Amino acid sequence: MELSDSSFCFFFFLLLLLSPIPPTFTQAFDVPTLSFDEAYTHLFGDGNLVRSSDGKSVRLLLDRYTGSGFISSDLYNHGLFSASIKLPSNYTAGVVVAFYTSNGDVFEKTHDELDFEFLGNIEGKEWKVQTNVYGNGSVSRGREERYLLGFDPSKEFHRYSILWTAKNIIFYIDEVPIREVVRSGAMGGDYPSKPMSLYATIWDGSTWATSGGRYKVDYSYAPFVSEFNDLVLHGCSVDPIQQTPSTGKCHDVSTANYATLTPERRLTMNNFRHNYMIYSYCYDNLRYPVPPPECVVFPSEKRRFRDSGHLKFGRHHRHHHSKGHSRTTSSNNQAVTGM
């Protein structure tokens, strides 16, 4: 869908009323947290998964021998999936930390997936995070977006959340919405629709993660440690074998406050995207001469991006003028490693 320049200009005027720094809302989602033993299990990495004594936090380590990861004990048919995460510090080029939902272990050829992927970093540079949406095995039609974070995620914990309903998907950072995908009939099976598990992993993505693979993992800095706490699985769990609803374990998140973008939240989201988005598949004409049906295209905004979907100028220039575990997605990331 394409909006007129006049609509965009009015919209952009409203954006200018907001701070260029994405606000961190103090109120958290009103949902319960779960300890590791209540809802998760070790996925891979032997001794590289370390639980706290009270089970409320988990450390995932990557060393020269293996990464590590955990998975939810149940699959979920929609829900809010959330964690406070602190990323590895110092030189972390090539180190990928992923927080995502997937059913690839159940539906190998028609899997669904929703991703947060942190793409490693060179000390002193701004961190990048990638979000992605796959449905029904549509890995050849990746819906990647990349953003600068605007803060150092290795210094303190920040909350990352994925909201998935039958109607929409919203990615949040610190309760600030950064991306929404609204289901449309034209998306067909590309919209995730089958029960998924929650995963968290750390692994070596040297071939693509940081500056397109230019910078590799340097194991002299190992072990690389990512910490997770305040773990949330709030939705409708299903039996992993029968794939039927688990008795008494269903919370309808579609009616929750955080499932709807109010006008204020939408302005906040678009302010974040204007200031921090550095790649969007919606503007990648080389991959998609016709944007996928869920894309909302602003002509004036589109002019700031190259045909490859990458931002033409650095973020500060614009301000001056204004998965380790077998992952099915990493090969497709080669298409968006230009920044």
Side-chain angles (χ1 to χ4, degrees):
M1 178 174 67
E2 185 166 301
L3 298 184
S4 67
D5 278 357
S6 60
S7 297
F8 179 78
C9 289
F10 174 73
F11 181 76
F12 181 68
F13 172 76
L14 293 176
L15 288 180
L16 293 178
L17 299 178
L18 299 174
S19 166
I21 303 301
T24 299
F25 295 161
T26 56
Q27 71 270 25
F29 299 136
D30 186 19
V31 292
T33 60
L34 296 170
S35 69
F36 187 88
D37 290 337
E38 286 180 290
Y40 305 90
T41 187
H42 189 185
L43 181 62
F44 73 103
D46 299 323
N48 279 6
L49 184 151
V50 181
R51 286 175 280 180
S52 63
S53 58
D54 60 8
K56 293 183 179 180
S57 63
V58 182
R59 301 169 72 203
L60 295 181
L61 282 67
L62 168 68
D63 57 29
R64 65 179 64 254
Y65 303 105
T66 182
S68 54
F70 62 86
I71 183 175
S72 61
S73 302
D74 292 330
L75 288 88
Y76 289 80
N77 191 19
H78 307 127
L80 177 71
F81 310 91
S82 183
S84 292
I85 305 173
K86 186 178 179 182
L87 298 181
S89 58
N90 299 318
Y91 182 93
T92 58
V95 177
V96 176
V97 175
F99 182 75
Y100 63 104
T101 64
S102 177
N103 48 35
D105 291 337
V106 180
F107 304 99
E108 293 184 7
K109 296 183 179 180
T110 59
H111 89 287
D112 307 299
E113 190 168 323
L114 301 170
D115 293 302
F116 270 114
E117 289 184 313
F118 304 92
L119 305 178
N121 196 47
I122 301 169
E123 193 171 11
K125 300 291 186 179
E126 291 186 278
W127 275 82
K128 299 180 179 71
V129 62
Q130 177 168 288
T131 63
N132 210 338
V133 175
Y134 294 108
N136 202 35
S138 59
V139 293
S140 64
R141 297 185 297 280
R143 289 169 161 84
E144 302 95 341
E145 288 190 345
R146 284 190 180 182
Y147 326 87
L148 299 174
L149 282 173
F151 56 82
D152 186 342
S154 70
K155 298 297 185 183
E156 58 186 3
F157 285 91
H158 290 269
R159 177 163 291 281
Y160 305 90
S161 306
I162 301 170
L163 181 280
W164 170 46
T165 77
K167 296 181 179 179
N168 67 334
I169 297 160
I170 304 175
F171 293 87
Y172 284 92
I173 298 179
D174 288 334
E175 287 70 57
V176 174
I178 68 165
R179 178 182 183 182
E180 181 184 34
V181 177
V182 178
R183 186 175 194 169
S184 69
M187 286 185 71
D190 282 7
Y191 189 89
S193 60
K194 299 183 292 294
M196 292 190 278
S197 299
L198 185 280
Y199 294 78
T201 59
I202 185 170
W203 48 285
D204 187 329
S206 290
T207 59
W208 66 273
T210 307
S211 298
R214 186 184 312 163
Y215 301 100
K216 315 293 185 184
V217 175
D218 183 346
Y219 283 103
S220 67
Y221 291 91
F224 302 97
V225 181
S226 185
E227 300 180 64
F228 298 76
N229 61 32
D230 295 330
L231 299 166
V232 171
L233 292 172
H234 196 66
C236 290
S237 63
V238 299
D239 182 275
I241 304 300
Q242 301 296 328
Q243 295 181 33
T244 55
S246 299
T247 304
K249 298 177 68 174
C250 186
H251 305 279
D252 183 6
V253 296
S254 66
T255 59
N257 175 269
Y258 48 76
T260 301
L261 291 186
T262 63
E264 180 183 4
R265 280 180 178 160
R266 191 168 296 281
L267 283 174
T268 302
M269 178 182 74
N270 284 285
N271 181 57
F272 177 94
R273 294 169 66 80
H274 175 77
N275 287 290
Y276 294 95
M277 187 168 71
I278 57 174
Y279 172 84
S280 175
Y281 71 104
C282 289
Y283 297 134
D284 192 338
N285 295 330
L286 302 182
R287 294 174 69 196
Y288 303 111
V290 177
E294 72 279 3
C295 290
V296 177
V297 175
F298 296 108
S300 295
E301 183 176 63
K302 182 178 180 180
R303 286 194 284 271
R304 296 191 292 107
F305 291 84
R306 302 186 185 101
D307 285 344
S308 63
H310 294 98
L311 193 66
K312 289 180 178 178
F313 306 109
R315 180 168 66 88
H316 298 294
H317 184 101
R318 286 195 289 125
H319 283 174
H320 177 74
H321 288 275
S322 54
K323 254 160 235 166
H325 174 58
S326 177
R327 297 295 308 281
T328 55
T329 61
S330 58
S331 61
N332 197 50
N333 285 319
Q334 303 288 346
V336 294
T337 52
M339 292 191 70

